Amino acid sequence: MTLHWKRRVYSFSESFKNSYPLKPMKNVTSVSSNLWKRLVSAVKQQDWVKIEQCLQDMKKGEDEEKESVTNEACSTEQRHYKELTMELKLGTVVQVQLGTELKDGFPVPVVQLLSVNQCFEICLEHTRNPIDCFSKTVCNASKPFYESYNEYQNIWSQLCQIDTAYNALEENNSIILEGVRITWNRDETNLQGFFYLTKTQKKQWSLEFDLSNCFLCIRLRDQKLKNSKSDPKHLDSSEILDLQGSLPFTWVAHAVTTKPKKPKNGDNQNKMTFQITKISVSYIPPKVFEQGPNFTIEVIPKKIPVREHVIENLKRANNLVKNVAYENINLDNVDESLNLPHLNKSQQKAVEEAVKKPFTVIQGPPGTGKTVVGIHIVYWYFKKNQDFLASSKSFKANPDQKPPKRPAILYCGPSNKSVDIVAEQLLKLKGVLKPLRIYCDQMEMREFPYTGSDLKLCRKSLRDEKPKEELK
């Protein structure tokens, strides 16, 4: 059995030569300047024979360009990606590094790192348990009602951190940086640090994600435990020393990037600051804080952290966001001509709760009508907006008062497919509602690519996501 890995690996100590392929956009044909002049001249003269010849030459050049672009794209992928393999046979020795995890209150040995070769290892710790590595354990459960938005923030910010950590690892879209020099604050109780990444490196390596919204797995290879009686910290690590013996090990720490100060104008460096969230071994080798060592950092970009930003900015939100309407709505007055799917008793109760309370969770197995409930919720919020506009007509009588902004409804979903299903149903109400389907940046990049931006697309997006033509 042969295991294969394909990773984007970049080194600070090696030069990176990058040439982007001239990949044409969809429905766009690149034309040379001479051919374009010939075509314009033929059109002015209305010489249809020359126009036909120019179009044939354009078609011929397009076919030749496609072949060259394919070859250049392959070479570009080889420059960005490294493929590694490990062949497993009967009796093959696999080198791993052990760590510990608590199970039923007792520490048990677990595999922390899988060593593929001397220059590449897989951290199984954050792959297996991203929540424990990149977020704090949540002790407070959500509540049906909150005394203030501060209480809501405290509870849901932690829940959003868990969701973000899980989704980031699920993407499997990490980037490995070799030879990184880190500057530490040396406070082991609250360990923080930073390193620099030039704008040239960011552009050449196609790092098109937000550097202040990432998870980091920081590793330092070939470390040895020193059992010095003069150093009490080393005495605390005697148990580890008995387990590891004299074999070198890799020091591993996990961190979350933080927002640095704004760089000065003309500064060619991006400062990546981070906060350590978990160190598997309490012993920190002295070499970690020296200036010389080159660290290996696995950068795991977060998905677009919309939920975290919403929770964080809640204190600056308007009253409409802070106080979702509690009014009763009679759901029996649905316009029959709209042909909305009928609701059973449990579905009707779910819609009532959703339009009355500030937050409602509606759950159920597949086929229980959650999508139908979502369509009815959209309809009733649309009715609420109509009532709001009718009550605001008084603003028109007073020219000194600014009229309120026209309200809208934003329907979000965990995947493009789930939103497409609702969008298809809402299109049937086009005479009443005015639905607009908005796709994510990844989807736009796939439909309308531009030179050098393929690497922004995660493999899951390329494999699964494709917009429906009828919803565009």
Side-chain angles (χ1 to χ4, degrees):
M1 181 175 66
T2 303
L3 303 179
H4 295 267
W5 288 271
K6 191 176 183 181
R7 288 287 187 270
R8 289 173 62 184
V9 182
Y10 306 106
S11 175
F12 278 72
S13 59
E14 297 177 4
S15 60
F16 183 85
K17 296 180 180 180
N18 186 21
S19 59
Y20 293 121
L22 298 175
K23 181 178 179 179
M25 292 175 58
K26 187 178 180 182
N27 301 325
V28 175
T29 302
S30 58
V31 182
S32 65
S33 57
N34 293 331
L35 181 56
W36 179 254
K37 290 178 182 178
R38 284 170 49 201
L39 180 61
V40 172
S41 176
V43 171
K44 289 181 178 180
Q45 298 173 7
Q46 296 186 358
D47 189 338
W48 306 113
V49 176
K50 287 185 178 180
I51 292 175
E52 183 181 3
Q53 183 61 42
C54 290
L55 294 176
Q56 290 178 355
D57 293 342
M58 288 171 57
K59 180 65 176 176
K60 182 179 178 182
E62 184 181 9
D63 295 337
E64 293 176 353
E65 187 177 357
K66 283 183 179 179
E67 294 181 4
S68 62
V69 164
T70 303
N71 296 332
E72 290 185 35
C74 294
S75 61
T76 300
E77 184 172 338
Q78 291 174 357
R79 282 193 295 272
H80 284 280
Y81 286 90
K82 288 188 177 180
E83 295 190 19
L84 302 106
T85 60
M86 174 185 285
E87 189 173 355
L88 299 179
K89 297 180 179 179
L90 186 63
T92 302
V93 177
V94 178
Q95 183 176 351
V96 298
Q97 179 170 302
L98 295 179
T100 60
E101 284 186 3
L102 290 177
K103 186 176 182 180
D104 298 330
F106 296 96
V108 294
V110 292
V111 177
Q112 183 186 40
L113 292 176
L114 169 64
S115 178
V116 179
N117 55 40
Q118 293 181 347
C119 301
F120 183 74
E121 65 272 324
I122 304 293
C123 179
L124 300 180
E125 185 178 20
H126 70 248
T127 304
R128 180 174 57 249
N129 195 351
I131 296 173
D132 185 48
C133 292
F134 299 120
S135 65
K136 297 179 181 178
T137 304
V138 177
C139 299
N140 299 323
S142 61
K143 302 168 67 175
F145 298 98
Y146 300 89
E147 296 180 1
S148 65
Y149 71 85
N150 290 324
E151 183 184 20
Y152 181 90
Q153 276 183 315
N154 293 334
I155 293 176
W156 280 97
S157 61
Q158 294 178 340
L159 293 173
C160 287
Q161 288 176 10
I162 290 177
D163 183 64
T164 302
Y166 179 81
N167 288 332
L169 267 296
E170 188 181 35
E171 283 292 321
N172 194 23
N173 201 29
S174 63
I175 296 169
I176 298 175
L177 304 179
E178 295 282 0
V180 185
R181 296 198 173 185
I182 296 177
T183 302
W184 301 90
N185 65 353
R186 293 179 177 268
D187 182 6
E188 296 184 14
T189 59
N190 186 24
L191 198 56
Q192 300 177 3
F194 65 87
F195 62 94
Y196 289 103
L197 193 70
T198 65
K199 293 181 179 179
T200 304
Q201 290 171 329
K202 184 181 178 183
K203 183 178 180 180
Q204 288 183 340
W205 298 345
S206 297
L207 305 181
E208 297 183 344
F209 50 83
D210 186 0
L211 298 177
S212 62
N213 281 299
C214 300
F215 298 117
L216 305 178
C217 177
I218 304 171
R219 303 189 282 266
L220 184 60
R221 303 185 182 100
D222 299 328
Q223 299 303 298
K224 288 189 177 182
L225 289 161
K226 299 178 181 179
N227 191 10
S228 173
K229 295 182 179 181
S230 61
D231 192 345
K233 292 182 181 179
H234 293 154
L235 289 175
D236 294 340
S237 63
S238 59
E239 295 180 3
I240 306 172
L241 184 64
D242 293 339
L243 179 63
Q244 297 280 356
S246 59
L247 293 175
F249 70 99
T250 300
W251 182 74
V252 182
H254 294 93
V256 178
T257 57
T258 56
K259 208 164 189 177
K261 296 180 180 179
K262 291 184 178 180
K264 298 179 181 179
N265 293 333
D267 191 359
N268 190 40
Q269 288 186 322
N270 293 288
K271 185 178 181 181
M272 290 192 67
T273 60
F274 59 85
Q275 168 80 46
I276 295 295
T277 54
K278 182 181 180 182
I279 300 178
S280 302
V281 181
S282 58
Y283 170 71
I284 302 178
K287 196 174 181 181
V288 169
F289 298 113
E290 295 177 3
Q291 295 294 329
N294 294 325
F295 291 84
T296 298
I297 298 182
E298 183 177 354
V299 183
I300 306 166
K302 295 181 182 179
K303 294 178 73 174
I304 302 175
V306 176
R307 299 176 186 174
E308 288 186 55
H309 288 171
V310 170
I311 299 297
E312 182 182 349
N313 298 325
L314 187 60
K315 60 183 179 182
R316 292 188 288 272
N318 55 30
N319 292 330
L320 179 63
V321 176
K322 291 182 180 178
N323 304 304
V324 178
Y326 286 86
E327 295 94 341
N328 280 322
I329 294 181
N330 186 6
L331 300 183
D332 296 330
N333 297 330
V334 179
D335 189 352
E336 295 294 336
S337 63
L338 299 178
N339 294 322
L340 286 176
H342 292 286
L343 300 174
N344 57 33
K345 289 184 178 180
S346 63
Q347 292 171 340
Q348 186 169 355
K349 184 179 179 181
V351 176
E352 290 176 354
E353 294 293 322
V355 297
K356 291 177 185 177
K357 295 183 178 180
F359 184 83
T360 306
V361 175
I362 302 172
Q363 60 182 359
T368 52
K370 297 186 295 295
T371 303
V372 173
V373 170
I375 296 168
H376 276 264
I377 292 173
V378 171
Y379 171 76
W380 283 111
Y381 272 113
F382 168 74
K383 295 287 290 182
K384 289 173 67 67
N385 287 342
Q386 282 189 321
D387 296 339
F388 171 75
L389 291 174
S391 63
S392 63
K393 289 183 179 178
S394 59
F395 285 95
K396 297 181 180 179
N398 190 350
D400 296 333
Q401 287 182 320
K402 292 182 178 180
K405 293 182 179 180
R406 192 173 185 87
I409 303 167
L410 178 63
Y411 188 100
C412 305
S415 65
N416 283 295
K417 185 177 180 181
S418 65
V419 180
D420 283 343
I421 295 174
V422 175
E424 288 176 347
Q425 295 295 326
L426 294 178
L427 280 177
K428 298 177 182 179
L429 308 178
K430 205 169 184 179
V432 180
L433 304 177
K434 294 181 179 179
L436 173 64
R437 178 68 170 100
I438 301 175
Y439 287 98
C440 61
D441 292 341
Q442 295 256 341
M443 194 79 79
E444 287 189 13
M445 192 68 63
R446 176 172 179 167
E447 289 296 297
F448 307 102
Y450 58 86
T451 303
S453 293
D454 286 340
L455 294 174
K456 184 177 180 180
L457 296 175
C458 62
R459 284 171 284 180
K460 185 177 180 182
S461 175
L462 290 170
R463 183 176 64 249
D464 299 335
E465 298 181 350
K466 188 176 181 181
K468 289 191 174 183
E469 295 293 330
E470 59 269 19
L471 298 178
K472 288 184 178 180

